[in-house]
Amino acid sequence: MCGIVGYVGPREVRPLLFAGLEKLEYRGYDSAGISVLNGEQIDLIRAVGDLSFLRDAMAENSNGSAPPVVADGTGIGHTRWATHGLVTEANAHPHYSTNSRIHIAVNGIVENYVTLKESLVKDGSVFTSETDAEVIAHLIERHYNGDLTKAVRDAYQDLIGHYAFVAMSVDEPGVLVGARKECPLVVGRGEGEQFIGSAVPAFLKETKRVQYMNDDEIVVLRPDGVEFLTVDGEPLAREIDEVDWDADTAEKGGYETFMLKEIHEQADAVAETIGERAAAEDSIDLGDLGQISDHLLRNISRIVVVACGTSYHAGLVGRYAIEEWARVPVEVEIASEYRYRNPVVGPNDLVIGVSQSGETADTLAAMATARNAGASVLAITNIVGTRMTREADGVLFTRAGMEIGVAATKTFVTQVAAFYLLALRLAELRGALAPHDLSSRIAELKHLPHLMSEVLDAGTATIEKVADQVYKQNFFMYLGRNSSLPIALEGALKLKEISYIATDAYAAGEMKHGPIALLDESTPVVVVATNSPVLSKLISNIQEVRARGARVIAVATEGDTEIDAHADEIFRVPATNAMLSPLLAVIPLQLFAYFIAGHRGLNVDRPRNLAKTVTVE
Ligand code: M6R
């Protein structure tokens, strides 16, 4: 939540900050702002709304009476996802201290801000926003004695919560000081200039050389170098990593939106994730899983998956595959609930945290709960260097590349692919599948990206036509059974998050226990009816739905003619093993949601009220 960017160096800072914010806008887009050192003052420009409003405000500012910006650039920028305080210009970051000489950009939450604010106000601080974050600027001013680094370290000790921030001072041109606690902050190393941001894309166009910060660390950026320190001021060594992302991968590559581009990248992303891990015909090689050894995988008695949103749905698919193939019991838990329960979990359990961003606060907390109870913890995530990768006993990386659209698509399918790999590895280690069956499942898994490409290449005419007919509806029901149930849940989530249409998703067998009362002739019911051991049961449920006059839109397997008599519209996907069909069935549903949102004129890449990375609970 919220994106921070900062620059020190010889170049004009405004365009660099703005370009960085554009790359971080997926983290929040309620309002945005920049602070730029300008001689004896810091110019602050903020605007409510997406970055186009900030761009206008910046243009106005440079055409108006503001003094010209000095060539030597020191500046910070922020794009906000509101937590405390309304979406107003006053609440937009950067915030500043009472004497306006210290500016800060913050991501996260200061939990003790009420107490701190009371004491600061008593001491004469004047607050200009309703945010929790502003206390940090005043605290730094309180501690400032000619040394910004020391003041940030002292302020850091006063704070409780989870946050990352970057500070600058009029009195120290060419210096930025960052601090990190449980929210991401990454440094980009240039020649004679340095960058800092909430994520690598903030400066990827300028440098691929990055240094990751850990929690409870302070970083000091000057044009000629970067220092990492403990909060007590002890220097820390930090290696420079080279990221292999291409800046172009962050662009739309000819597609109208990032979401559409990312939907079309799914077959490659799954192929990449499976890759050499399934190179052998009869064995899965998960590579280095840290402390999650083969011995441990052979002996765990239960798996608990903790995740949120779409990642939770990936865990649900994973449960079906692991239980079916490896015969290990699996529970899938919503992380925000799990973390506040007193869960029964311990040394015989493997807890798997799933998160595309690797920074979701609730998932991290759920993993910590399990680790503290003695469980082994594995992370399935897409981003190297995130907190999740550092706190887990082992990491199984998905290889989706950068996902910019807020709606998860290619990260979802790669998470599911990671679960398939894990399920087969467990089956292999535990002898749960006969060698012949294991080889067959591996072969089918390797063929899956090819089938996904077929779905993507098949054209979208039917999906677009149906979307055109139903986009004005204000309620959709989604149904599934067995491994298609998580896809019904995911399809419903995709539609609601990008089109703002109410959806419900149910296990089809549950319909008659209540939800069927919602249906009438106007209700579109989307049924994930791909091949499965319970397809005939699902068809009975479809008949119950149709008896109420509802319109059935089915996702079905090519060659299944029985469904023709039971559905008004059919989106076809190729035949595969029933356990693998979720990765095919989800594609038409992503596209369906996409076209409906498009018909409603909505911005699918940045749906309202959402953010790509949810670092607050
Ligand atoms: O980064 P994570 O995978 O942990 O994010 C969890 C959810 O916020 C996320 O999956 C969300 O539901 C999706 N953006 C929805 O498309």
Side-chain angles (χ1 to χ4, degrees):
M1 294 326 206
C2 300
I4 301 172
V5 60
Y7 172 81
V8 278
R11 286 197 272 167
E12 163 63 274
V13 66
R14 292 181 187 212
L16 289 169
L17 294 179
F18 192 81
L21 290 178
E22 280 183 310
K23 298 292 179 225
L24 295 182
E25 209 179 1
Y26 65 89
R27 299 178 64 89
Y29 34 81
D30 295 334
S31 56
I34 58 167
S35 287
V36 175
L37 189 64
N38 187 4
E40 262 307 294
Q41 66 180 52
I42 295 177
D43 290 343
L44 172 66
I45 308 169
R46 300 183 293 189
V48 169
D50 65 26
L51 284 175
S52 62
F53 293 91
L54 180 64
R55 186 193 291 113
D56 294 347
M58 285 166 70
E60 223 170 84
N61 178 278
S62 45
N63 296 335
S65 57
V69 177
V70 290
D72 282 1
T74 305
I76 57 178
H78 188 272
T79 178
R80 179 173 188 239
W81 188 84
T83 55
H84 292 67
L86 296 173
V87 178
T88 61
E89 194 177 319
N91 288 336
H93 296 222
H95 291 296
Y96 48 92
S97 60
T98 306
N99 64 11
S100 298
R101 298 185 80 76
I102 288 158
H103 285 220
I104 49 142
V106 184
N107 166 207
I109 291 181
V110 179
E111 283 167 7
N112 59 337
Y113 82 100
V114 175
T115 328
L116 290 172
K117 189 168 175 176
E118 276 168 11
S119 122
L120 286 159
V121 167
K122 220 186 257 167
D123 286 356
S125 294
V126 178
F127 280 73
T128 55
S129 80
E130 300 159 323
T131 67
D132 55 329
E134 190 186 340
V135 293
I136 298 178
H138 297 285
L139 277 177
I140 295 173
E141 181 183 298
R142 175 191 266 178
H143 290 292
Y144 190 73
N145 200 3
D147 181 350
L148 183 62
T149 308
K150 174 79 169 66
V152 166
R153 283 175 32 221
D154 291 344
Y156 187 88
Q157 316 263 18
D158 298 337
L159 298 166
I160 298 174
H162 50 279
Y163 32 74
F165 61 87
V166 180
M168 61 186 284
S169 165
V170 176
D171 300 298
E172 295 180 50
V175 177
L176 292 180
V177 183
R180 172 190 162 133
K181 184 175 185 193
E182 298 177 23
C183 283
L185 210 49
V186 190
V187 171
R189 298 298 303 266
E191 295 300 329
E193 60 182 1
Q194 315 298 341
F195 302 82
I196 191 163
S198 298
V200 174
F203 46 72
L204 189 60
K205 262 209 169 116
E206 307 298 334
T207 180
K208 291 185 174 178
R209 300 170 67 233
V210 306
Q211 287 177 301
Y212 295 103
M213 278 186 85
N214 296 316
D215 287 341
D216 300 316
E217 287 184 358
I218 307 294
V219 69
V220 186
L221 282 74
R222 296 190 178 83
D224 57 357
V226 173
E227 268 179 284
F228 284 80
L229 304 170
T230 65
V231 283
D232 298 324
E234 295 303 318
L236 292 164
R238 187 57 35 88
E239 72 275 15
I240 298 179
D241 290 334
E242 187 99 11
V243 294
D244 58 4
W245 297 345
D246 183 339
D248 286 349
T249 60
E251 304 300 336
K252 289 184 194 147
Y255 287 95
E256 226 166 86
T257 61
F258 282 113
M259 184 177 172
L260 191 59
K261 171 177 177 263
E262 288 156 5
I263 288 173
H264 281 271
E265 288 170 345
Q266 292 184 110
D268 286 347
V270 168
E272 192 64 32
T273 298
I274 295 171
E276 79 288 350
R277 291 161 169 164
E281 275 173 23
D282 53 359
S283 175
I284 296 291
D285 177 2
L286 293 183
D288 180 11
L289 291 186
Q291 292 164 46
I292 309 295
S293 63
D294 287 353
H295 174 78
L296 189 144
L297 292 176
R298 264 192 209 101
N299 290 291
I300 42 157
S301 48
R302 183 178 66 143
I303 289 176
V304 180
V305 178
V306 291
C308 304
T310 291
S311 298
Y312 169 78
H313 298 155
L316 292 175
V317 181
R319 173 170 70 189
Y320 283 96
I322 294 171
E323 291 195 339
E324 176 76 17
W325 294 337
R327 306 303 296 152
V328 180
V330 182
E331 286 165 25
V332 190
E333 301 272 0
I334 294 170
S336 55
E337 289 296 315
Y338 188 81
R339 64 180 291 190
Y340 290 117
R341 283 218 320 262
N342 186 6
V344 180
V345 62
N348 295 328
D349 296 317
L350 174 66
V351 171
I352 306 180
V354 190
S355 169
Q356 58 80 23
S357 63
E359 297 285 354
T360 298
D362 285 321
T363 307
L364 288 164
M367 290 165 75
T369 301
R371 197 176 39 250
N372 293 338
S376 301
V377 177
L378 175 70
I380 294 182
T381 186
N382 196 43
I383 314 273
V384 179
T386 52
R387 202 173 136 210
M388 184 173 277
T389 63
R390 289 195 293 263
E391 293 185 3
D393 298 311
V395 185
L396 179 52
F397 282 107
T398 52
R399 296 172 185 161
M402 274 171 66
E403 187 175 73
I404 302 290
V406 165
T409 53
K410 63 175 177 167
T411 52
F412 171 72
V413 290
T414 55
Q415 288 168 348
V416 173
F419 271 113
Y420 289 149
L421 289 164
L422 180 64
L424 291 174
R425 180 66 181 154
L426 285 163
E428 180 187 345
L429 289 170
R430 300 164 78 106
L433 278 179
H436 170 77
D437 290 332
L438 179 65
S439 301
S440 304
R441 295 300 86 79
I442 293 174
E444 288 158 353
L445 180 60
K446 288 203 278 210
H447 190 52
L448 202 53
H450 175 73
L451 299 180
M452 293 174 78
S453 297
E454 275 183 26
V455 179
L456 290 162
D457 295 345
T460 52
T462 312
I463 302 172
E464 281 186 76
K465 181 198 82 185
V466 181
D468 187 37
Q469 290 164 359
V470 297
Y471 75 96
K472 288 190 182 147
Q473 296 289 340
N474 53 20
F475 175 67
F476 284 67
M477 176 68 85
Y478 283 69
L479 300 176
R481 285 190 90 133
N482 202 276
S483 64
S484 77
L485 173 58
I487 299 308
L489 293 164
E490 176 59 10
L493 176 61
K494 284 289 91 85
L495 185 62
K496 74 170 65 128
E497 74 177 318
I498 63 171
S499 72
Y500 318 149
I501 296 174
T503 64
D504 211 343
Y506 256 90
E510 273 291 290
M511 281 291 284
K512 58 178 100 46
H513 301 292
I516 202 162
L518 289 168
L519 305 185
D520 61 26
E521 297 77 24
S522 70
T523 318
V525 179
V526 180
V527 187
V528 187
T530 43
N531 58 319
S532 102
V534 290
L535 185 57
S536 60
K537 304 282 174 203
L538 184 60
I539 287 181
S540 304
N541 301 136
I542 294 178
Q543 282 163 344
E544 293 157 10
V545 164
R546 289 192 109 198
R548 273 77 199 173
R551 174 177 186 174
V552 171
I553 301 162
V555 181
T557 304
E558 276 163 14
D560 169 12
T561 48
E562 196 190 346
I563 194 76
D564 294 352
H566 302 289
D568 299 284
E569 307 290 348
I570 302 177
F571 305 149
R572 295 280 179 185
V573 296
T576 183
N577 181 290
M579 201 49 73
L580 300 175
S581 65
L583 280 197
L584 304 179
V586 76
I587 298 171
L589 297 189
Q590 293 165 339
L591 289 164
F592 187 53
Y594 179 84
F595 291 123
I596 289 177
H599 278 305
R600 291 167 81 103
L602 298 169
N603 181 340
V604 295
D605 285 336
R606 287 180 297 149
R608 70 184 180 201
N609 305 337
L610 294 174
K612 186 75 185 157
T613 306
V614 186
T615 52
V616 292
E617 66 170 292

